[in-house]
Each structure stands twice: as C-alpha cells, then as structure tokens.
Amino acid sequence: MPQDPMDFEWSYWIEWGRERILWLLAGHLLVSQMSRLLVEKYKPWCLMVYGMAACWLLLGIKGFAVILLHAAISFAVAQFQLSLLTWLCSLILLSTLRIPAVEETKRKWYDTENEYYLLLFTVSVRCLFCTSFSLEYCWHAPTQKSSHSFPWMLAYVFYYPTFHNGPLVNFDDFSKQMRRQEAFSMKTNLSILIVGIIRIFFWWCLAELMIHLMYIHALYSSALPLESASYWALGGLALAQVLFFYVKYLILYGVPGLLLQMDGLKPPALPCCVSLMHSFTKMWRSFDVGLHRFLVRYIYVPMGGSQSSLLGTLLSTALTFAFVSYWHGGQSYLWYWGALNWLGVIVENGTKRILSISLIQDLI
C-alpha cells in the first residue's frame, strides 16, 4: 500500500537517515565507545573531530565553513560579555538564512534541494547552540572562562547526535556532563542500546502504519474533503495529526537521545503524549523539553518572567513566543500560531491567578 507523501518532515528525515545520517550516527557511537574505553579524558575532542568530519562529508566544505564562521562570529561577539549584543548577533546570523541572495548562493553549492535544506535546518539549530554558549560565556565569571573556551564551543556545536535536528541541550548541561568521568561498563551500555533500539523500532513501525493507512496529511492538503467533513470528523483528523506528530518526534528525538545516553549524558525527556495534555502551558513544558529549557533560561527569566509585574510577565511571554515564531521561519502563519499560543498561556495563567484568590476559592 502506498504511503502518504504529504508530511515533508517525516519523508525528508527518513530519506536522509537511510542514505547517510544513520550510518554517521553509528560511526559516532563507535568513536564514542572506543574513546570512553581507551581515552576518556580526550572524549570531547575525539567527538568534536568526528562531528567536524561528518559535517564536512555531508554538507561539503562550504557548508562546514558556514557553521564554523557562525561559531567564530558568535564567540568573538561574546568576548564583549554583553547579553544584548550577543542576542543581536544571534538574530542577525539567523536573519541571513532568509536573505534571498544568500539563499540562492547556497543553493548553487548543491545538486539537489534536499542538500540545501539539510544545510538550512542544520544552521538554524546551530544558531541556538551558538546562542546558548555565548550567553553562558557572558554570564560566567572570568575564573570560569577556561571551561568556556573556543575548543569547548566547537565540541558543543559539532556534537553530532544533536547536529541536524536537535534535541537542544544547553551548553552548561553539556559541558558539566561531558567533563564528568564515570566508570565505563560495556555490558550496561549494550543493554541500554538494545532496549533503546527496540523502543525506537516499535515507534517507527507505528509511524509507518499511520503514514500508510491513515492519510492524515493528504486529507489536510485538499480543501474538498475538509469542507464536506463534519465537525466531529475534523476534530478526529486534528487529533490524528498531533498524535502522528508526537510519534514522529519520539523517533526524531529518540535516536539522538539514545546516543546521548551512550555517551554518558542525560538527554532532555522525550515528548509527553499529547493525549495526556490539557493545557498550552503543559504542552510547551513537556513536548520539546530542550527548547523549553532554552527559552526559559535565555529569554523568559532574563526578561523578568513570572517574578515581574503583570505587564512584565506579558512582555516576557510575548518575546519568548515571538522568538519561537521567528526561529521556525517567520512566515505569517507562524506569527498567528505564536500569538494564539501566547494567548492560550496568558488565559490559563490569568485564570489560575484568579482562582487562587481566597474569595474565589470560598465561592467555589
């Protein structure tokens, strides 16, 4: 039975995974385990060199140079130790991905659109990693700068399991865990690997069944069946789509998460099932945990967060969702999506505040 080809993200990553990425991830696993076994002290540098080689192989020397240039510019700007300047630099670097002339130049480097999109997705995710490192550099005391050197930035930026699509791991978490030297047990790691592969294979089979049998995305791409469907049917289609999105990210984040565990790191928690969620706030906290930690640590809390006035909280939340919308591409529908999510979070938090008033509780 033919599969539904309309989910671009699933088709794209499965194709790249089968062709090269899974093989490169297997190579990373081999290098990681050998370095943990033989040269634990030099593991970050072994993995950095492997990540650079994998980047060069997959994106070419020009794609490698773009990512290296982004890292070098971010590091240079971080030397001023001004958070606002670091954010300005990050937004400018991110904006270069949407300049038509730059897009056309990068397209000419590759034979296919898929190769260009791989560079685009990779650089977008690397921008977040560069931002995380640079802000941590700004915030740490001069005595701690040795742990925030340029080689450590490269080890972080070129760490291959999270290289193309995440999940996002903040630099301080990555650095502390990568420096920690633990007793290495091949037997324990092998059991983690086998159980992880079985789980991911089960999720992949489930996703393939949904793609081959349900045709959710094909139905959404045509207005005619949607116009003739009842509200109950539309609700069912919407639920089916978000459930597939959930299963898809169990795989897309599950594979790198397993490799993080094999490297002795603690990956962000996998997405929580959307059927268990009933609020915007929980959705943002527990679906993409790595992105949520990034947004809270680098945008929401520095802007005041929930500890500021009502207006400050509204502004902090608005800036957080504005950045998410811009980072995802900045198209008009993404701004509407971000605004609706912002509104949902504000209404929920406002309702909680109202219900926490003692008079209201007495009435209830």
Side-chain angles (χ1 to χ4, degrees), residues 51 70 108 127 238 256 285 343:
H70 276 231
K108 291 175 184 176
C127 278
R285 283 179 181 168
L343 186 62

Side-chain angles (χ1 to χ4, degrees), residues 260-278:
L260 280 160
Q261 283 184 281
M262 297 295 292
D263 291 345
L265 310 179
K266 184 180 179 182
L270 289 174
C272 184
C273 180
V274 291
S275 295
L276 301 176
M277 298 182 195
H278 60 274

Side-chain angles (χ1 to χ4, degrees), residues 69-109:
L69 181 63
H70 276 231
I73 292 172
S74 297
F75 185 78
V77 172
Q79 303 308 302
F80 293 98
Q81 295 187 265
L82 297 171
S83 299
L84 186 59
L85 190 61
T86 292
W87 265 116
L88 184 61
C89 171
S90 298
L91 292 173
I92 290 171
L93 289 175
L94 199 56
S95 70
T96 61
L97 302 180
R98 300 176 181 92
I99 299 173
V102 176
E103 286 182 317
E104 286 305 310
T105 301
K106 290 177 181 175
R107 275 191 168 91
K108 291 175 184 176
W109 295 348

Side-chain angles (χ1 to χ4, degrees), residues 295-307:
L295 296 171
V296 170
R297 180 164 177 79
Y298 302 121
I299 303 177
Y300 186 70
V301 171
M303 289 303 298
S306 58
Q307 302 304 313

Side-chain angles (χ1 to χ4, degrees), residues 300 303-306 308-318:
Y300 186 70
M303 289 303 298
S306 58
S308 61
S309 63
L310 177 60
L311 187 60
T313 303
L314 291 173
L315 179 62
S316 302
T317 313

Side-chain angles (χ1 to χ4, degrees), residues 189-210:
N189 262 23
L190 188 60
S191 64
I192 292 171
L193 181 64
I194 291 170
V195 171
I197 288 173
I198 292 170
R199 291 175 69 195
I200 291 165
F201 180 71
F202 170 75
W203 296 330
W204 176 76
C205 289
L206 182 58
E208 284 293 313
L209 279 172
M210 295 174 81

